[in-house]
Amino acid sequence: MTGADHRPVMAAITARRVTRRFADDRLDRTVLAELIKAARWAPSAGNSRLHKFVVADDPSDLDAVDLVSPGMERPPPALIAVCTDLQACEDQGVEVDIDSTVLVDVGTAAMNILLAAHEMGIGACPTTSFSRSGVAAALRLPDRLRPEMLLQLGHPAPTETGTHRSTRLSVDDLTIWASD
Amino acid sequence: MLPSDIHQRDTDMEDPRVLTEPEAFELVAHLVSSADTSLFEPRRYPPFRLLDAAGRLATIAADRVDGELRTFWAELAADIAANQDLMMWDPAGFEAFIRETTVRIVDEQRRRNDR
């Protein structure tokens, strides 16, 4: 497609990129709360709502998370840890490591956050390469919360070009028409 | 090679201390947490993590030595930084880079032995 896409949702989807380097300035908590608001509107299998969103914006906590997260280049100004609430899973009879919807819902919530952040001019980087036990300790998570994904957040650094190599398969390559 | 062998050899040659204790702590944290993530991540990630750690160590080493040693470490660190992301875009190129880097290490060892 050439030129700007005037469909706002499609434009946001196609313009969003991962930000890996952030400016030092901290994010206002009202901004972070807006991102959680986006997450709460994500679809959830059976409306089960099995996840909690742990927000970290204290530099010492972020340093500790960075230390045990090989997928993180340096501590971001803030992050949201999308966590499975194991107690809620048990209460609802969800077998957490068998029911794939538990992780599907992590993805839908994270995507809402990524798109909302993009709209607000906030850079974001989803991260799954981290030690779960290490991050749980760094964020002082209760045993009932298991971190599944970290969303690094902050204003993009001036050196962040947003032009990381990005490969996308074509629609033809991705699509199998069931009736053909 | 056993760690004790490395220590013995270190005492026999010029010994620019490369790591401060905080740097060692950070590197060990990276390696240990990488060991943890290697339990569940796709198999192409563990070599990436090891290469990442090697790049971090090479970067530090380059700052602590001079002359030919500095050139070796600086070039190695730069090449790792430039190529480690091939893991995401070009798996065959990533594997080739690892093998080439291994040969490069052997060449460096020979160069040192020939001095």
Side-chain angles (χ1 to χ4, degrees):
Chain A
M1 179 179 295
T2 58
D5 194 318
H6 298 291
R7 299 167 295 176
V9 175
M10 202 63 171
I13 288 171
T14 54
R16 184 207 57 79
R17 294 290 184 276
V18 162
T19 298
R20 290 190 172 81
R21 294 191 171 88
F22 301 97
D24 292 334
D25 53 315
R26 299 181 70 170
L27 292 182
D28 192 283
R29 287 193 168 187
T30 58
V31 169
L32 294 166
E34 279 296 299
L35 298 178
I36 303 299
K37 183 192 289 184
R40 73 183 279 268
W41 285 100
S44 172
N47 198 32
S48 50
R49 308 291 164 187
L50 298 172
H51 300 93
K52 293 287 187 293
F53 303 90
V54 177
V55 184
D57 61 356
D58 182 279
S60 65
D61 290 343
L62 295 159
D63 283 349
V65 170
D66 174 62
L67 200 60
V68 293
S69 301
M72 197 173 275
E73 290 192 9
R74 53 183 62 84
L79 65 79
I80 296 173
V82 185
C83 300
T84 299
D85 186 336
L86 301 174
Q87 185 62 54
C89 291
E90 185 175 327
D91 292 345
Q92 297 190 41
V94 173
E95 295 185 85
V96 70
D97 289 320
I98 294 175
D99 188 337
S100 61
T101 63
V102 173
L103 289 180
V104 171
D105 288 356
V106 171
T108 58
M111 197 66 231
N112 271 20
I113 291 173
L114 294 176
L115 288 172
H118 174 75
E119 183 185 60
M120 297 163 70
I122 306 298
C125 180
T127 305
T128 55
S129 293
F130 59 87
S131 163
R132 278 179 171 168
S133 58
V135 166
L139 298 179
R140 297 174 289 278
L141 299 182
D143 289 344
R144 66 184 288 174
L145 295 185
R146 185 173 77 179
E148 309 283 12
M149 180 184 283
L150 305 177
L151 297 166
Q152 304 178 59
L153 300 162
H155 294 109
T159 54
E160 176 63 89
T161 61
T163 55
H164 298 296
R165 183 172 174 180
S166 180
T167 54
R168 296 288 188 272
L169 296 176
S170 71
V171 172
D172 283 343
D173 287 336
L174 288 167
T175 307
I176 298 170
W177 297 99
S179 59
D180 289 354
Chain B
M1 183 181 296
L2 295 172
S4 57
D5 295 334
I6 296 171
H7 177 73
Q8 180 58 46
R9 201 178 55 183
D10 279 352
T11 60
D12 294 342
M13 58 186 287
E14 282 186 49
D15 185 17
R17 297 291 162 148
V18 168
L19 281 181
T20 64
E21 193 279 335
E23 288 166 342
F25 178 69
E26 193 170 319
L27 194 57
V28 166
H30 176 80
L31 288 167
V32 171
S33 53
S34 293
D36 190 353
T37 62
S38 296
L39 296 173
F40 59 86
E41 286 192 312
R43 70 181 180 90
R44 67 183 188 276
Y45 275 85
F48 173 82
R49 299 299 174 209
L50 286 172
L51 203 56
D52 188 21
R56 294 176 188 217
L57 193 51
T59 300
I60 295 169
D63 282 344
R64 307 282 154 79
V65 294
D66 296 310
E68 289 181 339
L69 289 178
R70 184 187 189 92
T71 300
F72 166 74
W73 287 115
E75 289 180 353
L76 179 64
D79 285 347
I80 289 175
N83 287 283
Q84 65 183 26
D85 285 351
L86 288 174
M87 182 269 289
M88 288 183 277
W89 322 117
D90 179 6
F94 178 65
E95 291 179 16
F97 175 72
I98 290 174
R99 285 191 284 268
E100 289 162 10
T101 304
T102 306
V103 172
R104 182 173 176 175
I105 297 291
V106 172
D107 290 345
E108 172 65 11
Q109 174 65 10
R110 287 199 177 115
R111 189 187 68 79
R112 292 179 183 208
N113 286 344
D114 291 344
R115 278 193 303 190

